[in-house]
């Protein structure tokens, strides 16, 4: 906005000092949940690389409803069993019908550029990260046999607002 810009390009120099030099920026990220990969807490196979996968009981582990209502049981934990000793579980690499929580994030900024002299400029900037303060939950625990299995215990960062002043010479 202001002289030589797309909007209000023909305003006077004095008016340009007040209403010119504004800039708005934004970035939005919309992500569906990622597939969940389950492992067992016990290495049944004594193989290098940690635990194996649990067995599936054949019942879908998917549960419906808002994520906030399923924090203590994001998916049906009774749909899995511990494999027999020295055997690998029969579960696929990732769950076919359960994904992690979706994430929505919007970052916004508003800045005012002020030219004081030919070589001296000042920029006043306000930025809001996660501007709409969406709650973005982290993945549930995917280690079968642990007390936290299927629980979501963390959320992403809340809204953060910062103001800055930059002198450019």
């Amino acid at each position: 906005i202001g002289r030589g810009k797309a909007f209000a390009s023909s305003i006077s120099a004095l008016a340009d000092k007040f209403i010119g030099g504004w800039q708005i920026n934004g970035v939005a990220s919309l992500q569906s949940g990622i597939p969940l990969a389950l492992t067992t807490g016990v290495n049944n196979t004594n193989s290098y690389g940690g635990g194996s996968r649990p067995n599936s009981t054949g019942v879908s582990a998917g549960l419906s409803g808002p994520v906030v209502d399923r924090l203590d049981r994001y998916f049906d934990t009774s749909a899995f069993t511990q494999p027999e000793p020295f055997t690998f579980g029969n579960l696929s690499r990732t769950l076919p019908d359960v994904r992690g929580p979706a994430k929505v994030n919007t970052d916004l900024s508003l800045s005012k550029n002020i030219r004081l002299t030919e070589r001296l400029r000042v920029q006043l900037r306000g930025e809001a990260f996660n501007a709409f303060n969406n709650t973005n939950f982290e993945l549930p625990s995917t280690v079968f046999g642990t007390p936290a299995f299927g629980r979501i215990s963390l959320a992403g960062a809340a809204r953060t607002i910062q103001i800055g002043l930059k002198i450019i010479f």
Side-chain angles (χ1 to χ4, degrees), residues 105-110 125-133 157-164:
N105 184 59
T106 306
D107 299 337
L108 299 173
S109 73
L110 176 66
R125 160 177 255 145
E127 298 170 323
F129 303 100
N130 192 8
F132 302 119
N133 207 23
R159 178 187 309 127
T160 302
I161 297 174
Q162 66 184 22
I163 298 173

Side-chain angles (χ1 to χ4, degrees), residues 15-66:
D16 187 51
K17 293 283 185 199
F18 293 103
I19 66 169
W22 288 98
Q23 184 175 352
I24 299 172
N25 299 304
V27 175
S29 299
L30 308 169
Q31 300 173 345
S32 64
I34 65 170
L36 298 178
L38 304 186
T39 59
T40 59
V42 176
N43 186 354
N44 262 355
T45 60
N46 289 328
S47 62
Y48 179 74
S52 62
R53 298 178 189 142
N55 281 330
S56 173
T57 61
V59 176
S60 171
L63 297 175
S64 60

